[in-house]
Amino acid sequence: MKILNKFIKEKSIITLITTFIYLVILFILIYIYNGNSMIYYPIDPYVYASPPVDFFLPLLVTIPFSFYTYHIVKNGFIDYAGVRIAKRKYLTYYILSALISCFVMVFVVNILAIVFSYNVASITSEVSKPSYIGYFLGNLQMNNPIIFGIIWSIYKAFLATLICLFGQIISIYVGNLFLVLLAPFIYSVLENFITGVLRIPQFSFTTALILDRLEENLMRPINIIIGILIFAIVIYLTYRLLRSKYEKDK
């Protein structure tokens, strides 16, 4: 555990910087949308503000952490570290520290953003309001946004960690830094485009990531689970393919 704590502390500065940037942008968008949109529930400013930031989330959870992993592999530091600890164990702890840092960052930012939304929301006085009942925990979204925010932030942090894992795998086996830093973002854009063209956006991982993105009848739990499973399969196949190529080239 000491080595894991060491790696987490090593990434703490870049994690804090990224957290600050992520949080400030989300706060600004919440403030803007709150002043320029019809707000029916305290969570609405967050719902409106999240998608523009979520589009770039693969970059936020890849660049700060993949950069480190890429360099310890590319510069041969892991070979030096292998004298003191098994390379596989060293790399496992290094990746795990990135995943933990990513999870905490995304959870903290989103729960704070929802609390901010709750406190600044300018609720319209109109009697007739739209309903979130058909969406994920819709009743909580409308009536208890803080409890919903805790659940949603944990869920979103988990999905962000999957993206981070994808980036970590690529950073280990790919020698091009540009591709290492942008691959998860490129995949996200392409996957979103392809599912849109095929008219199956309900199975997109992006849909699973963005709160209330589509119509209620499309955002059923089974569709979201399928989208997450497809991405998990892509991560596994990418690992197997890159690992096989790496062993073949050794």
Side-chain angles (χ1 to χ4, degrees):
M1 290 301 294
K2 286 184 179 181
I3 189 171
L4 180 60
N5 291 332
K6 174 180 177 294
F7 290 155
I8 292 174
K9 289 179 181 178
E10 181 181 292
K11 297 178 177 68
S12 61
I13 295 178
I14 190 64
T15 301
L16 288 173
I17 292 173
T18 308
T19 299
F20 178 76
I21 294 172
Y22 184 8
L23 188 62
V24 168
I25 294 173
L26 198 48
F27 271 33
I28 291 173
L29 288 176
I30 287 172
Y31 182 80
I32 292 173
Y33 277 99
N34 180 64
N36 295 284
S37 306
M38 295 296 287
I39 306 300
Y40 298 100
Y41 302 102
I43 201 171
D44 282 350
Y46 171 81
V47 174
Y48 299 147
S50 291
V53 184
D54 289 337
F55 178 77
F56 296 101
L57 188 62
L59 294 176
L60 288 171
V61 300
T62 297
I63 291 177
F65 308 115
S66 293
F67 183 83
Y68 278 95
T69 307
Y70 170 83
H71 277 287
I72 67 164
V73 175
K74 187 69 174 178
N75 295 338
F77 182 78
I78 193 171
D79 295 321
Y80 168 75
V83 175
R84 297 171 294 162
I85 182 174
K87 294 181 185 179
R88 189 180 185 88
K89 186 176 181 180
Y90 184 93
L91 202 54
T92 298
Y93 278 127
Y94 208 85
I95 292 173
L96 187 58
S97 69
L99 300 184
I100 292 172
S101 298
C102 172
F103 184 94
V104 172
M105 178 182 74
V106 175
F107 173 79
V108 169
V109 168
N110 281 273
I111 189 62
L112 289 178
I114 290 174
V115 170
F116 180 66
S117 175
Y118 178 85
N119 284 282
V120 302
S122 302
I123 308 295
T124 181
S125 57
E126 289 188 15
V127 176
S128 179
K129 295 183 178 182
S131 175
Y132 285 132
I133 289 297
Y135 288 111
F136 174 67
L137 298 179
N139 190 52
L140 280 180
Q141 288 190 52
M142 294 185 294
N143 301 311
N144 203 330
I146 302 301
I147 297 299
F148 171 80
I150 295 172
I151 298 171
W152 175 255
S153 297
I154 292 172
Y155 165 81
K156 193 166 186 175
F158 168 72
L159 297 187
T161 303
L162 286 180
I163 300 173
C164 184
L165 176 61
F166 188 39
Q168 290 293 297
I169 291 171
I170 294 172
S171 65
I172 294 171
Y173 297 110
V174 175
N176 186 309
L177 180 59
F178 179 80
L179 185 58
V180 164
L181 299 181
L182 293 184
F185 176 70
I186 293 171
Y187 170 82
S188 175
V189 172
L190 289 176
E191 186 255 14
N192 189 41
F193 174 75
I194 291 171
T195 54
V197 169
L198 296 177
R199 297 185 178 181
I200 51 171
Q202 66 270 31
F203 300 130
S204 169
F205 183 77
T206 303
T207 298
L209 188 66
I210 298 178
L211 182 61
D212 304 341
R213 184 191 185 203
L214 304 176
E215 295 178 0
E216 301 170 17
N217 62 317
L218 295 177
M219 296 202 67
R220 292 179 293 177
I222 184 63
N223 294 342
I224 293 173
I225 291 172
I226 289 173
I228 296 172
L229 286 177
I230 290 173
F231 184 51
I233 291 171
V234 169
I235 293 174
Y236 176 75
L237 291 178
T238 300
Y239 167 73
R240 296 302 305 173
L241 179 64
L242 293 178
R243 179 69 184 179
S244 176
K245 185 177 182 303
Y246 169 77
E247 291 179 346
K248 185 178 179 179
D249 293 342
K250 284 181 65 176

